[in-house]
Structures are given as structure tokens and as C-alpha cells.
Amino acid sequence: MFEKYNKVQRAVLETTLNIIIRKELQATSMSLIAKESGVSTGNIYHYFQSKEDIVNELYKAIVTFNGEYVREGLLQGRTIREQFEAGWNRVVELGQKYPQGFQFIEQYSFSPYIYDEVKQAVYTDGWCGPMNKLYEEAIQQKLFIPLNPKLMVQMHYGTLVYILKAHLQGIFELTGDSVQEVIRSCWKAVQLADDTITER
Amino acid sequence: MFEKYNKVQRAVLETTLNIIIRKELQATSMSLIAKESGVSTGNIYHYFQSKEDIVNELYKAIVTFNGEYVREGLLQGRTIREQFEAGWNRVVELGQKYPQGFQFIEQYSFSPYIYDEVKQAVYTDGWCGPMNKLYEEAIQQKLFIPLNPKLMVQMHYGTLVYILKAHLQGIFELTGDSVQEVIRSCWKAVQLADDTITER
DNA sequence: CAAATTGGAATGAACGTTCGATTTGATGGT
DNA sequence: ACCATCAAATCGAACGTTCATTCCAATTTG
């Protein structure tokens, strides 16, 4: 997740993510980060400008990592339908394999603590751009109804985020089958009516 | 929104909501709440036990308000389809008419700062319970596919939350028509195949 | 005038950040 | 093989500020 950083930076970022999810941004003090990461406060400031800088760097790193992970999935599919399924499956995998990073992005994507410039990274380094493209193509090929593709992507992302959230909160179990069912229903929600036959 | 509170409590809660959305929980200090609400710190502590208490009270108040608002909408529909549309329309209205309350609940529903007991209020005073019931009925009447109703409610809530979030962030406009289209597509996503004829 | 309410200065703890001292490890001269 | 040198890395105590909370005097209410 933090390959491009050195040992100290990695320890700090990992620890910070850990504490923020476990406690709160409010309760995430520099002294606690120092204690848990094994890096002294003085040394932390050798590698980061400020606490804000740490949190924003963390945000950027996770968005980039998630972006690569999902884009890699998109490449696996040949047809639009396959890309659709592979892409959203990767999003769900992210939520399950890296729940802390997933929760962090979710909780702070609307926080004023994250700089606007860093938030924009979702479109440049994240997976939003390629996914929007895929939806545009699906509309052109008359697979999807003619709605704003960005709106549709948000819809489907929200769908998955919320079943993952509820799952992480223990409201219900999430089997591989039910995930597939949800992704299929996402397709069904926006598919053009006369495409119904190709649907299993 | 805060009808059951007195003048001082209302001023404090409204101001707190305002600052938290504008700045951050971290940057929401008691002195700032005092200054902006026109209530002295001493007096705030006369009506609230602590800062945590204020924020949790705020959370509870908004959940209860939102719950009443959506349940009221559910009552307007006669058929299941009508209740479905009326209910989700109310959710969207909440996000548009009371964006601060909406954003606050969204941002802090997973925060450790909110007591678990207060979070449970979503089910007792909120709209999750009645909405789950509606979905169960829709499954029994063979209108919906046989999936976990709680999962489906979360799916659809996520859908609407994310188009509202994107709209509030200015990513795209949200017309009344596109909202209707989204709600219809939510129904389509989970409807049982042989129900297609009744569909417009 | 008693009780309830209000105001804001005072308090002590905790916070983010700074800074000078110390350690480390690579380099080159003997 | 040994040591001298030095810049980079590391440390944690210290600093000044800000914070949530308390306390009590002042004011209002009934």
C-alpha cells in the first residue's frame, strides 16, 4: 500500500491510518502516532511538514492504490459487461481486503481537513475516470439508458459502499453470491429495456 | 428540526451543526460554539454535560427528525410501489432541504465519537425499520427478488446518498426528472423478472 | 428574597510544533 | 585496519498555545 515511501514514512502512515480508524482524527495525536509507530515526534517532522500533511499524504496514497487496483481489474474484462463486473468486483474486494483504507476514504472524502487539490486525485489517479469512460461507451452501444454516466457511476459506487459499510458494521453477512447478485442488479438497474434478452 | 429543545439548546445545537459542517469536529471548539451561538461557555455547560454530549444529542435529534420525515412520506403511498417512491423521494428531499443535517449524519454515522447506543436510534426512531418492512412485503408479494431486504434497503440508500453527495459537491446537477429516473432504476434493479410488464 | 439562570475569567491538561543534542553510517586519509 | 570527519537521521524535552471544563460572582426570575 505504501511502496513508494521509505521505512519511517511507511510506519507513520500505517500507524496513522490505524489510529484514525480505531479512534478518530480528533483523538489521533502526534504523541500517539510517535509512540505506536516507534518514530519520535522530532523525526516525524523530519519527514512530514505537519499533521495535516500526514493525513493528506495518507489520503492520496490510498486513493492511488485503490485506483490502480480497480483499473487493473477493468483491464481483465473483454466485453463491456465483463469490464463492468470485474471493475465493481475489485471495488468490493478493496473494501474487504483493505477495510481500513476503504473506511478512511469514505469517512474523510467530504471532510474539510482534506485539501480540495488532494480530493481531485480521485479523478486523476483513482478509478473514477476509467469507470466513467466505460459507462459512456455502454450508453453509446445502447446497453445503458441515456443518463449522465457520472451519475450512474456514483449510484453504483454508493450501492456497493453501503452494502460494505453495513457488512463491516455487522448488520448482515456478505457472501460471494450475494455480492454477485448485487453487481448484477446494478447492471439491471440501468440497462436499456430491449437488452433484457441477453440478460440471463 | 429542534422543536423539543429550548431556546438556548436550540441555538447551541444549530450552531454546532453549522460549525462542524463548515470546519470539522476537530476545529469545533467550545469557545467558538459559545461565540457564534451567543451562549456563554458556562451556560452551555448548564444545558449540556460535555462537548460529546452536544454532538451526540445533535445526532439523535437529526436522526429522529429525518425518521419522522421519511415515515410521513411512506404513509402517503397506497400501493407498495407508491410507498417506495414516496419514501425515497423524502430521503432525497432531506438531502436537498436540510443538507447540513444530511451531511452530518453521513460523516459521523461511523465515527467512534457517536455512542453505539445513539447510533442504534436509526432503527428505533429513524426510517430503517419501516423501510425494511416495506421491502419484506415486496418480496412476499413477488415484486422483488428474494434477497435480504436489509441488504436491498442499504443498496438503495447508498445509491441516493451518493448522487446527493456528488450533487452537493457540484459534480453534476440534479433535476427532479433525474431523481425520478434514479428511483425508478432502483426499483428496476431488484424487481422480479416477470414483473416487467407492469413496468412503464 | 430565594432560586434559577447566566457570564466569563481561571485552571490545568493536552496538543502540535520546535530545537538543540546525540547517534548513525558513509567517506576518505593514514 | 583504524580513525577522523561530517552530513543526515533521530531523539525527546521544552515551548507556547489552545482546549474542555470549572467555578463563582452577577444577574434575572417568580
Side-chain angles (χ1 to χ4, degrees):
Chain A
M1 202 136 177
F2 304 111
E3 297 82 2
K4 65 173 230 184
Y5 299 94
N6 67 36
K7 222 168 137 183
V8 173
Q9 291 171 319
R10 204 178 306 181
V12 170
L13 291 173
E14 276 170 6
T15 306
T16 304
L17 175 57
N18 229 294
I19 303 175
I20 288 185
I21 294 303
R22 224 175 50 232
K23 304 209 160 181
E24 256 276 302
L25 183 55
Q26 202 177 96
T28 305
S29 66
M30 282 303 222
S31 61
L32 191 59
I33 296 175
K35 197 187 291 176
E36 292 202 15
S37 66
V39 181
S40 68
T41 56
N43 204 23
I44 293 178
Y45 278 88
H46 187 76
Y47 288 97
F48 297 95
Q49 283 188 17
S50 63
K51 188 181 159 182
E52 269 194 13
D53 185 42
I54 298 176
V55 178
N56 275 274
E57 199 65 40
L58 181 58
Y59 190 92
K60 219 190 305 177
I62 298 176
V63 164
T64 305
F65 177 83
N66 290 0
E68 280 168 15
Y69 195 78
V70 174
R71 283 203 306 272
E72 202 180 276
L74 284 174
L75 290 175
Q76 285 179 0
R78 285 187 316 279
T79 64
I80 286 187
R81 177 65 185 254
E82 275 177 17
Q83 284 176 31
F84 178 92
E85 302 222 338
W88 289 124
N89 260 305
R90 284 280 172 134
V91 170
V92 175
E93 278 172 36
L94 275 174
Q96 292 178 323
K97 287 188 189 165
Y98 308 92
Q100 291 189 330
F102 178 79
Q103 264 184 257
F104 175 71
I105 296 295
E106 272 321 297
Q107 257 185 57
Y108 292 92
S109 59
F110 282 74
S111 160
Y113 203 80
I114 308 294
Y115 312 137
D116 279 333
E117 141 224 353
V118 173
K119 281 182 194 157
Q120 292 302 318
V122 186
Y123 291 93
T124 56
D125 309 326
W127 48 265
C128 269
M131 194 65 99
N132 284 338
K133 276 260 166 58
L134 181 69
Y135 276 54
E136 277 172 30
E137 234 178 284
I139 296 169
Q140 275 173 14
Q141 297 197 13
K142 308 272 182 202
L143 293 171
F144 284 178
I145 55 177
L147 251 178
N148 182 345
K150 283 184 188 172
L151 183 132
M152 289 196 273
V153 169
Q154 287 295 319
M155 280 175 59
H156 290 163
Y157 183 56
T159 302
L160 297 177
V161 165
Y162 268 76
I163 64 164
L164 280 166
K165 270 192 175 183
H167 166 63
L168 289 173
Q169 272 204 334
I171 295 177
F172 48 71
E173 260 318 298
L174 207 53
T175 64
D177 281 353
S178 57
V179 170
Q180 294 318 308
E181 189 77 36
V182 169
I183 293 177
R184 264 198 303 270
S185 92
C186 280
W187 178 280
K188 215 172 77 178
V190 297
Q191 83 181 350
L192 209 53
D194 45 297
D195 184 38
T196 329
I197 321 103
T198 60
E199 184 61 15
R200 37 178 237 101
Chain B
M1 201 134 177
F2 305 111
E3 297 82 2
K4 65 174 233 187
Y5 299 95
N6 66 36
K7 220 168 139 184
V8 173
Q9 291 171 318
R10 205 178 304 180
V12 169
L13 290 173
E14 275 170 6
T15 305
T16 304
L17 176 57
N18 228 295
I19 302 174
I20 288 185
I21 294 303
R22 221 175 52 231
K23 304 207 159 183
E24 255 276 301
L25 183 54
Q26 204 177 97
T28 305
S29 67
M30 282 303 224
S31 61
L32 191 58
I33 296 175
K35 197 187 291 177
E36 291 203 14
S37 67
V39 182
S40 68
T41 56
N43 204 21
I44 292 179
Y45 278 90
H46 187 78
Y47 288 100
F48 296 95
Q49 283 185 18
S50 64
K51 189 181 158 182
E52 269 195 12
D53 186 41
I54 298 175
V55 177
N56 275 274
E57 200 64 42
L58 181 59
Y59 190 91
K60 220 190 304 177
I62 298 176
V63 164
T64 305
F65 177 83
N66 289 0
E68 279 167 15
Y69 194 78
V70 174
R71 283 202 308 272
E72 202 181 276
L74 283 174
L75 291 175
Q76 285 179 1
R78 286 187 316 281
T79 65
I80 287 186
R81 178 65 186 253
E82 276 177 16
Q83 284 177 33
F84 178 93
E85 302 223 338
W88 289 123
N89 260 306
R90 285 281 172 136
V91 171
V92 175
E93 279 173 37
L94 275 173
Q96 291 179 324
K97 288 189 189 166
Y98 308 92
Q100 291 188 329
F102 177 78
Q103 265 184 257
F104 175 73
I105 296 295
E106 272 322 296
Q107 255 186 58
Y108 292 93
S109 60
F110 281 74
S111 159
Y113 202 82
I114 307 294
Y115 312 138
D116 279 333
E117 141 224 355
V118 174
K119 283 184 192 155
Q120 291 302 318
V122 186
Y123 291 94
T124 56
D125 308 326
W127 48 266
C128 270
M131 195 64 98
N132 284 337
K133 277 259 166 61
L134 181 69
Y135 276 54
E136 279 171 29
E137 234 178 286
I139 297 169
Q140 275 173 14
Q141 297 196 14
K142 308 272 184 203
L143 292 170
F144 284 178
I145 56 177
L147 251 178
N148 182 346
K150 283 184 187 172
L151 182 130
M152 289 196 276
V153 170
Q154 287 295 319
M155 280 175 59
H156 290 163
Y157 184 55
T159 301
L160 298 178
V161 166
Y162 268 74
I163 63 163
L164 279 167
K165 271 193 175 182
H167 166 63
L168 288 174
Q169 273 205 334
I171 296 178
F172 48 71
E173 259 317 299
L174 207 54
T175 64
D177 281 352
S178 59
V179 169
Q180 294 320 307
E181 190 77 36
V182 169
I183 293 177
R184 265 198 302 271
S185 93
C186 280
W187 178 281
K188 215 171 77 178
V190 298
Q191 82 180 353
L192 210 52
D194 45 298
D195 183 37
T196 328
I197 321 103
T198 61
E199 183 62 16
R200 47 168 218 107

